[in-house]
Amino acid sequence: MKTNPNTKTEITFEDFKTEVINDYKLAVTSRECSLLGRREVLTGKAKFGIFGDGKEVPQIAWAKAFENGDFRSGYYRDQTFMMAIGELTIEQFFAGLYANTDLSEEPMSAGRQMGGHFATHSLDENGNWKNLTEQKNSSADISPTAGQMPRLLGLAQASKIYRNVEGIDTTNFSKEGNEIAWGTIGNASTSEGLFFETINAAGVLQVPMVISIWDDEYGISVHARHQTTKENISEILKGFQRDKDTNGYEIFRVNGWNYAELIDTYQRAAKVARKEHVPVMIHVQALTQPQGHSTSGSHERYKNKERLAWEAEYDCNAQMRQWMIDNNIATDEELSTLEKEIKKAVRDGKKAAWSAFINPMKAEKTEVVSLLESLEKSSSNGVFISKLKNDLNAIDEPIRKDILSTARKALRYVISETSNEKIALQDWIDNYIEKIQPKYSSHLYSESESKAEYQSEVLPTYNADATEVDGRVILRDNFEAIFNNYPEALVFGEDAGHIGDVNQGLEGLQEKFGELRVSDTGIREATILGQGIGMAMRGLRPIAEIQYLDYILYALQIMSDDLATVQYRTKGRQKAPLIVRTRGHRLEGIWHSGSQMGGILNLIRGIHVLVPRNMTKAAGFYNTLLESDEPALIVECLNGYRLKEKMPNNIGKFKTPIGVVETIKEGEDITLVSYGSTLRLVEQAAKELLEVGIDVEIIDVQSLLPFDLNHDIVKSIAKTNRVMVIDEDVKGGASAYILDQILNEQNAYQYLDSQPKTLAAKPHRPAYGTDGDYFSKPSIEDIFEAVYDVMHETNPNDFPKLR
Ligand SMILES: Cc1ncc(C[n+]2csc(CCOP(=O)(O)OP(=O)(O)O)c2C)c(N)n1
Ligand SMILES: [Mg+2]
């Protein structure tokens, strides 16, 4: 062989040999990490292990085709690839296994994710973009199988946008759209709907996406015959193959133990995807799992002797080794020496990682032991404190739980004592929690200067003769301003392109800004969401439209598992400031007027949830979010597009602040808290209540996450001494969330003279038609009567029983 598999330029046999040997070294290093990693779990030093053994060689071939600027979206088997691109050392591998919370030791997630979940840093320590074109990039993994697929689509589509849309500053993100988004998935996970949805969408969009399927015939214990029709994913996906007349995929099939063929395949795949923006599928077959699926079980339970013998023979590292000997690249002896050296290097790396993990905690233990020693002497409960101290001291390799729980328990023995030693321990505990808690809880939201909360309000302003227009016109004109102001902004969704969305909030914008920036998509909510995540991770400002709130459930898993956790799971080193636009509430029928707000709120902590009551407020939220670096969901009122609103004269500029409530009617008797479409009913009920002498105060929450950052609601309750939360979700949903915030975060209980109430919808889905709505959701009469009842209870003389 005379060609370097990487560059295809003429090289000497010696150079070639060196490259192969280096590749083999890496394969063996990765394998040794897996073997030792399993031992660390079985001996109790780490909690769980899932490794890349049996998948080493294809990942080395892949890494050779992976260039700066490219992105990976993969899963837990990809450790060899991460090592090959220089983004995972032996020490870091073990730091991940131990859950080291120091980002400089464990750069994947600072110990937040279990080992095998990989990431690179797209942001610096201040949350600013690094130059992604000068580094190899890996979007942060998530555990749900196939959950990496929707995001992969967006990572690939970003290249298409950067190549074809003019006016975007590409400096940090793209070189003419030449970047490939590389995906990996296990054979069994291709059974997931997300896989099929993504494959189809990438074929439609023709984006530079290369998906590798690591096929080891199993998904934990379940064989391919239960997973895949014909037991062969590339066989059944043959119809996606492009031909001279149609778009589609290039599909390759290659054995995972064949080093030379793998290198050739990955080079060919890269060429097609990078240059032509054609998606590629590489079915890497005949892979193995030398240690079984994970540390949780053993594969001898479900693989027969023949299969196990075959796996031993076709182990990709073993095959590569034999191939090297057969082709005079190295002798058996030379390789054995090399393998021994690697074993030692991995052992040393493991030891270093363990010391880095445990030493800081040993020091923390010493601090507490010494504090307890002093406390024991000064306390009448010294015997008990001494026992706690000795128990802690006996733990050679303590974790933070051991240390902190001992300190906290010790404090209980000195509850009724006063001493400097007690104060010292109290201070230590407070400082420790303050220092340590963020290691586990920071970065659920952005901590950068562009945090959405920092955006201050800019009010809409009006000409004296401002006209009243349909709400959707304000939204449309505001979107037009957004696309003019932000070349990197784009919107896509079902019917969002040609007709400008089902309610015409994007009317005419495709003509003005082109099909790439204002586009129609297939009916595929999960990948619409994923498209947004991937593009946002590469510096674009996507607005992903989910046609109706009711259908967000299809995308909710990806919002919850992926989008909501991006900042958190990377400790602020990746972000996806995606805006999800949807519309809902109060129209007609079970699937066009639902309000799953409680479910949404509780599942997507990490994403802002905004519920504007009209289109001016909604437009202001879009303007706010585009100036910030965080993801958000905006729920527009489905019945508000044709309601009249005054046209502001500062379209594109006014901003609705997030986390700020608005008092829309002042009153003395009771505070009514609501949001969105329901407010219109609350306002009407308020007018009618005034007729019987009840003067309510109405607060529009506007922003459910974050919630009333200034604690204005409790100020209102301090005045009225009564509160009712009204919404159209089921009982225990959003209204319960709001009441919890008011009672537990704002301590409103101290001002209450009446029981705090919630008024919500019936537990079933809303029935069809006007009567369906009337008998399913809180009506004006329901609100009137619920409020009246509270006042009757307070003052039955002035407010005699109504019914
Ligand atoms: C949505 C979801 N369901 C189930 C699991 C549990 N699980 C983890 S890995 C796995 C098997 C995956 O098999 P495959 O895709 O073939 O990958 P392999 O581990 O064989 O490389 C399962 C069922 C999960 N992580 N996510
Ligand atoms: Mg498998």
Side-chain angles (χ1 to χ4, degrees):
M1 257 202 239
K2 276 258 167 63
T3 53
N4 175 331
N6 194 12
T7 61
K8 295 253 197 279
T9 50
E10 295 281 313
I11 58 157
T12 65
F13 184 67
E14 278 313 303
D15 289 343
F16 169 68
K17 244 171 79 166
T18 310
E19 180 165 347
V20 176
I21 289 172
N22 279 338
D23 287 348
Y24 182 69
K25 271 189 193 164
L26 181 59
V28 175
T29 304
S30 175
R31 177 65 59 89
E32 280 304 319
C33 284
S34 301
L35 297 174
L36 209 51
R38 187 176 175 91
R39 286 237 303 274
E40 290 301 276
V41 175
L42 300 184
T43 57
K45 277 202 160 108
K47 291 235 80 155
F48 177 74
I50 189 149
F51 306 116
D53 47 315
K55 319 279 190 294
E56 291 90 347
V57 178
Q59 293 182 23
I60 288 168
W62 163 28
K64 287 176 195 293
F66 194 95
E67 293 184 5
N68 281 353
D70 284 1
F71 256 89
R72 163 190 172 276
S73 180
Y75 79 115
Y76 50 78
R77 296 286 181 221
D78 295 343
Q79 72 192 46
T80 315
F81 170 80
M82 293 301 289
M83 289 175 175
I85 61 166
E87 292 294 335
L88 182 69
T89 65
I90 297 169
E91 285 82 354
Q92 288 166 348
F93 172 90
F94 285 100
L97 207 56
Y98 302 140
N100 192 322
T101 52
D102 185 341
L103 200 66
S104 62
E105 302 284 345
E106 203 290 270
M108 303 299 144
S109 74
R112 291 174 178 192
Q113 295 227 62
M114 52 172 63
H117 290 68
F118 305 110
T120 51
H121 294 182
S122 303
L123 307 175
D124 65 19
E125 61 277 15
N126 301 316
N128 298 317
W129 288 111
K130 294 165 75 178
N131 189 327
L132 306 185
T133 67
E134 289 171 359
Q135 62 180 39
K136 298 193 160 72
N137 303 289
S138 177
S139 62
D141 294 355
I142 60 175
S143 295
T145 53
Q148 69 273 34
M149 295 297 297
R151 174 188 349 125
L152 175 64
L153 181 68
L155 291 169
Q157 198 193 358
S159 291
K160 186 156 180 154
I161 300 295
Y162 282 123
R163 186 176 283 181
N164 298 299
V165 175
E166 309 243 300
I168 310 178
D169 179 2
T170 61
T171 318
N172 286 332
F173 306 109
S174 180
K175 297 213 157 116
E176 281 140 33
N178 283 328
E179 304 76 23
I180 295 176
W182 302 83
T184 66
I185 188 165
N187 58 297
S189 301
T190 65
S191 309
E192 294 277 10
L194 290 179
F195 173 78
F196 286 94
E197 191 176 312
T198 305
I199 293 294
N200 178 53
V204 170
L205 291 172
Q206 290 292 292
V207 287
M209 171 182 118
V210 179
I211 176 77
S212 295
I213 299 154
W214 305 143
D215 191 345
D216 55 20
E217 276 189 42
Y218 283 85
I220 311 186
S221 68
V222 181
H223 187 258
R225 68 180 169 277
H226 302 295
Q227 300 280 3
T228 310
T229 309
K230 300 186 182 190
E231 297 182 30
N232 189 324
I233 189 71
S234 58
E235 181 64 25
I236 59 169
L237 294 182
K238 259 184 180 165
F240 281 92
Q241 174 67 49
R242 67 172 176 166
D243 57 36
K244 62 178 188 342
D245 302 319
T246 60
N247 274 343
Y249 274 74
E250 275 308 320
I251 301 179
F252 296 98
R253 223 182 257 177
V254 58
N255 282 322
W257 45 263
N258 192 328
Y259 174 73
E261 256 186 46
L262 283 162
I263 289 172
D264 181 54
T265 304
Y266 274 91
Q267 293 301 320
R268 282 162 53 206
K271 212 167 151 194
V272 178
R274 207 178 293 287
K275 235 175 134 176
E276 299 176 48
H277 279 190
V278 166
V280 179
M281 190 183 313
I282 308 180
H283 184 189
V284 184
Q285 294 180 297
L287 288 169
T288 69
Q289 296 177 347
Q291 304 188 102
H293 176 75
S294 74
T295 51
S296 298
S298 80
H299 59 158
E300 287 80 6
R301 275 197 298 158
Y302 50 81
K303 287 179 187 161
N304 62 28
K305 274 205 187 90
E306 290 74 37
R307 172 74 196 184
L308 289 167
W310 179 87
E311 287 205 11
E313 188 183 347
Y314 281 88
D315 179 318
C316 60
N317 287 11
Q319 287 284 326
M320 183 175 177
R321 190 182 198 281
Q322 193 55 49
W323 176 85
M324 288 164 73
I325 296 169
D326 293 346
N327 287 280
N328 298 324
I329 291 165
T331 64
D332 183 26
E333 235 182 355
E334 284 164 351
L335 292 177
S336 297
T337 312
L338 199 133
E339 286 154 4
K340 248 187 230 140
E341 284 165 13
I342 292 171
K343 247 189 193 7
K344 181 168 179 321
V346 172
R347 261 202 318 268
D348 290 348
K350 183 211 82 166
K351 274 190 201 144
W354 180 253
S355 300
F357 171 69
I358 205 72
N359 286 347
M361 292 187 278
K362 283 186 173 173
E364 290 160 15
K365 172 186 122 174
T366 311
E367 284 172 26
V368 170
V369 167
S370 133
L371 284 168
L372 296 187
E373 224 151 48
S374 310
L375 189 69
E376 157 194 342
K377 284 181 200 135
S378 70
S379 166
S380 56
N381 276 326
V383 202
F384 301 105
I385 295 166
S386 167
K387 163 121 183 34
L388 278 177
K389 180 198 74 184
N390 292 339
D391 288 349
L392 179 61
N393 222 356
I395 306 173
D396 282 339
E397 293 180 330
I399 57 170
R400 296 195 171 110
K401 184 180 171 202
D402 300 322
I403 299 162
L404 184 57
S405 74
T406 303
R408 291 164 94 175
K409 279 181 184 148
L411 207 52
R412 297 178 199 166
Y413 289 114
V414 289
I415 287 177
S416 49
E417 298 178 10
T418 38
S419 68
N420 287 337
E421 289 77 6
K422 176 181 170 182
I423 294 170
L425 183 65
Q426 282 170 332
D427 286 350
W428 187 91
I429 293 171
D430 288 347
N431 289 337
Y432 192 73
I433 293 175
E434 198 181 310
K435 190 175 81 182
I436 302 298
Q437 188 66 49
K439 290 179 182 293
Y440 301 92
S441 302
S442 74
H443 293 92
L444 178 58
Y445 297 94
S446 169
E447 299 193 0
S448 81
E449 281 175 4
S450 312
K451 194 175 172 56
E453 279 173 24
Y454 297 160
Q455 295 299 321
S456 40
E457 179 166 24
V458 177
L459 288 167
T461 50
Y462 300 93
N463 293 339
D465 57 349
T467 48
E468 296 252 318
V469 295
D470 286 354
R472 62 117 196 154
V473 172
I474 293 175
L475 215 47
R476 180 198 64 193
D477 290 1
N478 194 71
F479 278 127
E480 180 170 353
I482 284 173
F483 295 130
N484 279 321
N485 294 341
Y486 302 90
E488 66 278 20
L490 59 160
V491 64
F492 47 91
E494 296 151 20
D495 304 289
H498 186 60
I499 65 163
D501 91 40
V502 285
N503 294 91
Q504 304 227 279
L506 299 166
E507 184 195 18
L509 299 187
Q510 188 179 67
E511 277 161 37
K512 289 190 174 126
F513 298 101
E515 285 191 19
L516 284 170
R517 290 186 70 195
V518 182
S519 38
D520 286 316
T521 66
I523 306 178
R524 46 176 182 78
E525 286 75 12
T527 47
I528 289 173
L529 220 290
Q531 243 173 292
I533 298 173
M535 286 198 276
M537 279 182 160
R538 290 191 57 194
L540 295 168
R541 291 311 309 264
I543 301 170
E545 176 166 324
I546 301 295
Q547 198 160 68
Y548 297 103
L549 177 63
D550 304 72
Y551 307 128
I552 210 164
L553 263 61
Y554 277 65
L556 196 54
Q557 179 262 327
I558 281 299
M559 290 177 76
S560 180
D561 287 327
D562 195 349
L563 183 60
T565 66
V566 172
Q567 291 251 2
Y568 177 77
R569 73 184 194 263
T570 59
K571 208 180 177 201
R573 295 313 174 102
Q574 289 188 9
K575 65 178 175 184
L578 165 65
I579 301 172
V580 182
R581 173 188 191 212
T582 192
R583 54 185 72 82
H585 291 131
R586 294 268 175 190
L587 202 68
E588 303 294 344
I590 298 184
W591 287 282
H592 290 87
S593 55
S595 177
Q596 324 87 335
M597 297 310 293
I600 291 171
L601 280 169
N602 289 319
L603 284 167
I604 65 170
R605 301 291 160 97
I607 300 174
H608 298 312
V609 178
L610 309 172
V611 281
R613 69 175 180 274
N614 59 38
M615 300 308 154
T616 308
K617 290 276 177 185
F621 277 137
Y622 290 110
N623 297 338
T624 297
L625 289 166
L626 280 156
E627 287 296 299
S628 82
D629 66 354
E630 297 188 81
L633 167 68
I634 299 183
V635 185
E636 296 166 11
C637 296
L638 189 43
N639 58 7
Y641 295 108
R642 308 271 157 197
L643 299 180
K644 298 291 179 202
E645 294 179 35
K646 256 199 309 182
M647 177 58 97
N649 59 14
N650 58 344
I651 281 281
K653 297 203 176 73
F654 58 87
K655 290 194 276 180
T656 315
I658 74 160
V660 178
V661 303
E662 187 179 337
T663 303
I664 55 176
K665 178 190 171 306
E666 294 198 6
E668 298 297 322
D669 296 324
I670 182 168
T671 302
L672 304 185
V673 181
S674 189
Y675 63 90
S677 299
T678 308
L679 275 171
R680 283 189 271 282
L681 283 75
V682 175
E683 283 181 287
Q684 181 56 35
K687 282 186 197 146
E688 296 172 17
L689 282 160
L690 212 48
E691 289 165 13
V692 296
I694 298 170
D695 185 14
V696 305
E697 179 142 311
I698 304 175
I699 296 183
D700 177 6
V701 171
Q702 308 192 87
S703 166
L704 288 165
L705 281 174
F707 186 87
D708 187 11
L709 296 167
N710 303 325
H711 289 194
D712 286 331
I713 296 176
V714 72
K715 290 172 204 154
S716 164
I717 296 170
K719 184 177 75 175
T720 63
N721 308 114
R722 278 174 266 280
V723 65
M724 182 176 297
V725 180
I726 302 155
D727 89 330
E728 52 176 289
D729 191 2
V730 297
K731 250 192 174 339
S735 59
Y737 161 82
I738 294 172
L739 195 60
D740 171 69
Q741 291 285 322
I742 296 172
L743 294 182
N744 289 320
E745 298 296 320
Q746 304 192 5
N747 292 327
Y749 64 89
Q750 56 192 317
Y751 303 110
L752 288 173
D753 289 342
S754 295
Q755 184 193 347
K757 294 268 189 183
T758 60
L759 179 64
K762 296 282 182 291
H764 52 75
R765 300 286 180 104
Y768 174 60
T770 304
D771 282 349
D773 176 77
Y774 189 82
F775 287 97
S776 300
K777 300 219 171 167
S779 63
I780 294 168
E781 286 69 41
D782 291 334
I783 299 166
F784 181 100
E785 289 175 11
V787 172
Y788 188 90
D789 274 357
V790 173
M791 299 311 291
H792 161 72
E793 214 179 270
T794 316
N795 185 352
N797 286 335
D798 286 357
F799 304 107
K801 200 162 174 49
L802 186 63
R803 72 176 163 93

